[in-house]
């Protein structure tokens, strides 16, 4: 509101300046004849000095109006552009916060690039509308009102003549702006193809080089680059056309003022000062008229962007995380006739699961690839809700539990290990930033990774990931285990967490772990049999169903999938 007031005030002064100039010119032109007629009289000198004085006063007034107008223009930008930046800030935070609340399924449905684009590109387009576009539109409105009102009060027909080319100007600018908009959009798209192209080549550089496909990569890049160049050139053509056209049309208005207005001065309909004033008004209108087309295309793209943003903002999380009963986890988990179907694909991942896991028990979950093991883990974390039947934790249905609280008490080691581009310390402390260095080191010892970390020159302060050292698969897995152990969870969920270490290291880790997991409930998902852990129960999943369960010996005697696993592993180890 304040911004709009400033816009109005700044325009009052913009219109005032030509007025002042017009008065000054008229004063001079009227007095010049008078001065001539006093030729040879004493009075001529008096007139000259008073004329000089009045001119000086006009100069000062002119300067003052320009200055005050400038101050209001500054305040206008300060209030409106700053306001748009603040809204941008809020909007970005709102989107980010909203993303955080959405369930995993949402992130599997939408790709990362799209998510990021909506939080950055689209938001900045909306800001362009709220800030510059709105400011210019309000500005145009006031300027037009004031200028046209003043012009009409001087001479109606000259005003109409001056405004004649304006609609053509606005329409053609709008048209050209659309062209520019379209082409810059195409450039943006091509640019993101180009960057993702390069990014993929660089991240896959090892595969690329080992298959000797550098030349192919170069050619693909060249083609994309060529395409980009063409699009950029086509934009440059339009822009090259744009400016001269604008100057031409504005020039046309000026010419009309000079011809028609000159005629009017001759007839005594307007003063010479008015003529100058009119020319100044025409120039004053030029830029705002140009900005109408520009602002209109900004409004269009902002509308499209806001639609895209709303699409995500309006998606409700199917799985609320911050409401529900806050439970103290002890490790009692029950599955009762539970079925689970992936909502997006309709794949039946788990069928009729009945399990009763008691606090402190150690369970192994095994099965062939794709049998539903990871899905089971994600259900316990509340990433998905069961489709049918029940999953109860501490006797409460998972749907009634406050998930943030639940997840804080679970140490989960996902199948695809993820480390952040940060120090090893911070990666291990990720689950709880209050952890001390000693606690992190303790967790690393339990995960049998301590010695290896200490061998790095910077030890626990070594940066990992993109900006730092590349760790081996097994090292990453064990840091991930340390991260889970560090938060002292009641329940540990290992999803294939030891797949990347050799049998020897595995034995060492399990022996180490055995001591630290005594009082915890532990679920170990694996392809391998850990003979060194005395599991309370081992379940075998096949095609989403529990097909075998029991203790090691029982399962061996059963002669089913477990026995088959055992046979194979035994055979390999002998190898
Ligand atoms: N996000 C998902 N959306 C849809 N279907 C999925 C999703 N994740 C897994 N599936 C499907 O669910 C089934 C079970 O997958 P799951 O990841 O649980 O298997 P897994 O036993 O962990 O296999 P692996 O040993 O290879 O890790 C598979 O058929 C898989 O294609
Ligand atoms: Mg899995």
């Amino acid at each position: 509101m304040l911004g709009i007031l400033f816009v109005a005030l700044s325009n009052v002064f913009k219109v005032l300046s030509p007025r002042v100039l017009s008065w000054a010119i008229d004063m001079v032109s009227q007095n010049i004849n008078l001065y001539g007629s006093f030729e040879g009289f004493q009075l001529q000198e008096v007139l000259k000095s008073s004329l000089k004085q009045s001119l000086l006063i006009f100069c000062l007034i002119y300067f003052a109006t320009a200055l005050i107008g400038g101050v209001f223009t500054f305040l206008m930008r300060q209030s409106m552009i700053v306001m748009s930046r603040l809204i941008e800030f809020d909007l970005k935070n709102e989107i980010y916060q909203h993303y955080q609340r959405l369930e995993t399924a949402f992130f599997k449905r939408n790709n990362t690039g799209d998510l990021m684009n909506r939080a950055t590109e689209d938001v900045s387009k909306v800001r362009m509308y709220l800030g510059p576009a709105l400011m210019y539109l309000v500005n145009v409105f006031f300027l037009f009102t004031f200028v046209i009102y003043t012009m009409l009060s001087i001479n109606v027909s000259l005003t109409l003549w001056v405004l004649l080319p304006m609609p053509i100007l606005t329409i053609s600018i709008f048209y050209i702006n659309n062209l520019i908009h379209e082409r810059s959009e195409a450039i943006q798209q091509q640019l993101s193809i180009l960057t993702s192209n390069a990014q993929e080549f660089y991240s896959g550089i090892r595969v690329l080089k080992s298959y000797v496909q550098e030349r192919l990569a170069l050619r693909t890049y060249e083609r994309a680059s060529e395409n980009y160049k063409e699009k950029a050139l086509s934009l440059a053509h339009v822009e090259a056309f744009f400016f001269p056209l604008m100057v031409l049309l504005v020039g046309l208005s000026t010419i009309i003022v000079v011809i028609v207005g000159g005629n009017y001065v001759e007839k005594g309909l307007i003063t010479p000062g008015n003529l100058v004033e009119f020319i100044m008004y025409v120039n004053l209108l030029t830029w705002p008229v140009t900005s109408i087309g520009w602002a209109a295309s900004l409004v269009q793209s902002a509308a499209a962007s806001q639609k895209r943003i709303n699409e995500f903002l309006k998606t409700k999380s199917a799985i609320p995380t911050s409401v529900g009963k806050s439970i103290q986890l002890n490790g009692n988990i029950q599955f009762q006739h539970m079925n689970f179907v992936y909502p997006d694909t309709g794949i039946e991942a788990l069928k009729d699961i009945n399990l009763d896991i008691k606090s402190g028990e150690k369970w192994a979950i095994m099965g062939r690839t794709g049998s539903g093991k990871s899905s089971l883990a994600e259900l316990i974390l509340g990433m998905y809700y069961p489709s049918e039947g029940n999953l109860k934790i501490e006797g409460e249905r998972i749907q009634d539990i406050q998930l943030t609280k639940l997840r804080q008490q679970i140490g989960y080691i996902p199948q695809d290990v993820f480390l952040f581009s940060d120090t090893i310390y911070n990666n291990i402390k990720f689950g709880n930033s209050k952890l001390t260095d000693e606690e992190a080191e303790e967790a690393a010892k339990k995960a049998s990774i301590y010695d290896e970390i200490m061998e790095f020159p910077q030890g626990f302060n070594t940066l990992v990931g993109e900006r730092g050292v590349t760790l081996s698969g097994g090292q990453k897995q064990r840091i991930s285990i340390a991260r889970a152990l560090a938060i002292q969870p009641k329940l540990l969920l290992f999803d294939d967490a030891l797949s990347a270490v050799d049998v020897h290291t595995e034995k060492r880790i399990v022996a180490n772990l055995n001591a630290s997991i005594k009082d915890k409930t532990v679920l170990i998902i694996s392809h391998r049999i850990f003979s060194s852990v005395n599991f309370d129960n081992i379940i075998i999943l096949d095609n989403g169903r529990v097909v075998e369960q029991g203790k090691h010996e029982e399962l061996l005697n059963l002669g089913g999938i477990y026995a088959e696993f055992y046979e194979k592993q035994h055979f390999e180890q002998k190898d």
Side-chain angles (χ1 to χ4, degrees):
M1 299 290 270
L2 208 60
I4 291 173
L5 181 72
F6 290 140
V7 175
L9 287 174
S10 77
N11 280 311
V12 169
F13 286 94
K14 260 189 228 159
V15 177
L16 221 54
S17 306
R19 281 257 87 165
V20 176
L21 196 66
S22 146
W23 291 329
I25 288 172
D26 285 345
M27 188 195 73
V28 174
S29 71
Q30 278 158 17
N31 286 302
I32 217 111
N33 294 332
L34 203 61
Y35 179 80
S37 59
F38 279 115
E39 186 71 62
F41 290 95
Q42 263 274 281
L43 224 56
Q44 200 183 27
E45 276 313 300
V46 182
L47 192 67
K48 190 176 173 184
S49 70
S50 86
L51 204 61
K52 259 187 184 166
Q53 232 165 34
S54 330
L55 267 183
L56 192 69
I57 290 170
F58 273 123
C59 276
L60 286 176
I61 296 176
Y62 188 82
F63 180 70
T65 52
L67 195 70
I68 298 171
V71 169
F72 282 122
T73 310
F74 168 77
L75 289 175
M76 157 186 108
R77 296 192 71 92
Q78 266 294 305
S79 48
M80 296 193 84
I81 304 292
V82 167
M83 176 267 303
S84 76
R85 287 286 181 199
L86 293 176
I87 292 180
E88 180 187 28
F89 174 75
D90 284 348
L91 195 55
K92 267 191 186 159
N93 285 344
E94 194 185 333
I95 295 172
Y96 191 74
Q97 262 169 24
H98 186 72
Y99 281 175
Q100 300 291 88
R101 278 196 292 268
L102 291 169
E103 76 268 20
T104 21
F106 173 83
F107 294 95
K108 287 184 180 161
R109 260 197 314 271
N110 299 289
N111 70 42
T112 321
D114 195 22
L115 289 169
M116 304 233 294
N117 250 335
R118 290 184 204 213
T120 53
E121 281 292 299
D122 285 328
V123 170
S124 76
K125 286 206 175 122
V126 171
R127 183 201 78 86
M128 285 299 278
Y129 159 65
L130 290 168
L134 203 63
M135 185 178 76
Y136 285 120
L137 288 176
V138 174
N139 192 33
V140 167
F141 172 77
F142 282 115
L143 191 70
F144 258 70
T145 316
F146 295 159
V147 167
I148 290 174
Y149 174 78
T150 323
M151 291 203 300
L152 284 173
S153 72
I154 297 170
N155 190 297
V156 178
S157 70
L158 185 60
T159 309
L160 294 179
W161 276 106
V162 169
L163 294 181
L164 207 60
M166 291 287 171
I168 310 172
L169 188 64
T170 309
I171 290 167
S172 52
I173 284 167
F174 179 70
Y175 175 72
I176 291 176
N177 249 310
N178 273 346
L179 264 186
I180 289 180
H181 182 68
E182 244 170 55
R183 298 199 178 173
S184 13
E185 202 102 300
I187 288 181
Q188 279 303 320
Q189 267 174 15
Q190 190 59 31
L191 190 67
S192 74
I193 291 176
L194 205 63
T195 31
S196 52
N197 233 330
Q199 195 243 341
E200 205 168 86
F201 287 146
Y202 293 137
S203 50
I205 192 76
R206 280 196 280 188
V207 182
L208 196 85
K209 280 196 182 293
S210 59
Y211 283 83
V212 204
Q213 291 300 321
E214 291 100 327
R215 198 170 293 203
L216 177 84
L218 184 66
R219 233 177 297 141
T220 316
Y221 189 81
E222 241 169 21
R223 225 173 297 136
S225 187
E226 176 74 29
N227 197 331
Y228 175 78
K229 185 193 78 187
E230 263 153 34
K231 293 201 161 110
L233 284 182
S234 84
L235 177 66
H237 288 320
V238 177
E239 281 177 337
F241 188 61
F242 179 71
F243 196 67
L245 181 79
M246 208 179 73
V247 174
L248 181 78
L249 286 169
V250 174
L252 211 61
S253 273
T254 315
I255 291 172
I256 293 174
V257 176
V258 173
I259 295 174
V260 180
N263 207 353
Y264 283 10
V265 174
E266 224 174 5
K267 287 182 186 151
L269 293 173
I270 54 170
T271 66
N274 290 148
L275 184 61
V276 174
E277 199 180 342
F278 258 80
I279 292 174
M280 285 185 76
Y281 287 145
V282 169
N283 282 311
L284 214 54
L285 290 181
T286 322
W287 165 235
V289 170
T290 343
S291 73
I292 293 181
W294 178 70
S297 70
L298 279 185
V299 173
Q300 275 184 331
S301 63
S305 287
Q306 186 67 53
K307 211 165 99 190
R308 280 160 50 82
I309 293 173
N310 285 349
E311 231 174 66
F312 277 1
L313 280 184
K314 294 221 171 88
T315 12
K316 284 251 170 356
S317 174
I319 301 178
T321 52
S322 54
V323 292
K325 283 189 198 128
S326 158
I327 58 157
Q328 202 59 48
L329 185 65
N330 286 314
N332 296 298
I333 303 164
Q334 287 168 299
F335 288 89
Q336 301 169 329
H337 299 289
M338 195 216 65
N339 291 334
F340 175 60
V341 180
Y342 273 104
D344 296 322
T345 53
I347 290 175
E348 260 192 298
L350 293 164
K351 295 159 211 161
D352 197 30
I353 304 290
N354 288 291
L355 301 171
D356 192 357
I357 303 167
K358 295 251 160 45
S359 176
E361 287 185 344
K362 318 279 177 277
W363 284 47
I365 299 161
M366 301 182 66
R368 298 198 176 92
T369 166
S371 56
K373 304 181 296 293
S374 298
S375 310
L376 199 73
E378 292 203 49
L379 278 158
I380 294 174
L381 284 159
M383 297 298 178
Y384 297 93
Y385 282 159
S387 313
E388 274 171 90
N390 276 325
L391 161 57
K392 287 185 176 171
I393 296 177
E394 305 306 329
E396 300 288 349
R397 287 168 68 238
I398 186 97
Q399 289 91 333
D400 302 330
I401 296 173
Q402 189 196 331
L403 293 173
T404 41
K405 184 75 201 292
L406 172 73
R407 289 175 191 164
Q408 274 165 8
Q409 303 174 72
I410 300 179
Y412 171 53
I413 300 120
Q415 188 167 17
D416 41 352
V417 173
F418 186 83
L419 298 185
F420 296 91
S421 313
D422 203 339
T423 60
I424 294 179
Y425 265 138
N426 288 341
N427 266 295
I428 295 179
K429 291 183 201 166
F430 184 71
N432 181 359
S433 51
K434 289 201 195 83
L435 292 173
T436 62
D437 288 354
E438 289 69 39
E439 283 169 313
E441 284 162 25
E442 193 52 40
K445 277 180 193 155
K446 285 180 193 160
S448 309
I449 183 74
Y450 183 81
D451 294 337
E452 273 161 83
I453 295 175
M454 290 314 276
E455 275 171 27
F456 295 137
Q458 274 135 344
F460 277 82
N461 287 312
T462 307
L463 283 173
V464 297
E466 274 187 23
R467 292 178 298 133
V469 298
T470 319
L471 299 173
S472 79
Q475 288 168 337
K476 281 190 218 157
Q477 274 192 338
R478 276 170 292 149
I479 290 180
S480 180
I481 294 176
R483 176 193 288 164
L485 293 173
I487 60 168
Q488 310 267 359
K490 273 292 180 199
L491 170 69
L492 273 165
L493 261 178
F494 286 75
D495 191 351
D496 227 2
L498 293 173
S499 59
V501 295
D502 55 53
V503 178
H504 195 72
T505 318
E506 172 199 303
K507 284 224 170 88
R508 211 177 70 223
I509 297 171
V510 172
N512 255 344
L513 273 177
N514 261 335
S516 55
I517 61 174
K518 220 169 256 154
D519 58 329
K520 298 186 196 312
T521 312
V522 182
L523 304 183
I524 295 183
I525 294 170
S526 153
H527 284 110
R528 241 189 263 155
I529 293 168
F530 295 129
S531 40
S532 45
V533 182
N534 184 21
F535 286 109
D536 295 292
N537 200 7
I538 299 168
I539 64 167
I540 309 293
L541 284 175
D542 192 36
N543 208 4
R545 280 179 201 280
V546 177
V547 287
E548 295 169 23
Q549 65 174 312
K551 293 224 175 211
H552 180 68
E553 276 74 29
E554 292 166 15
L555 289 176
L556 276 188
N557 292 336
L558 213 63
I561 297 178
Y562 186 81
E564 198 184 306
F565 268 129
Y566 185 76
E567 282 289 311
K568 267 194 203 142
Q569 196 170 320
H570 214 63
F571 189 65
E572 279 166 12
Q573 275 173 26
K574 265 196 217 142
D575 258 6

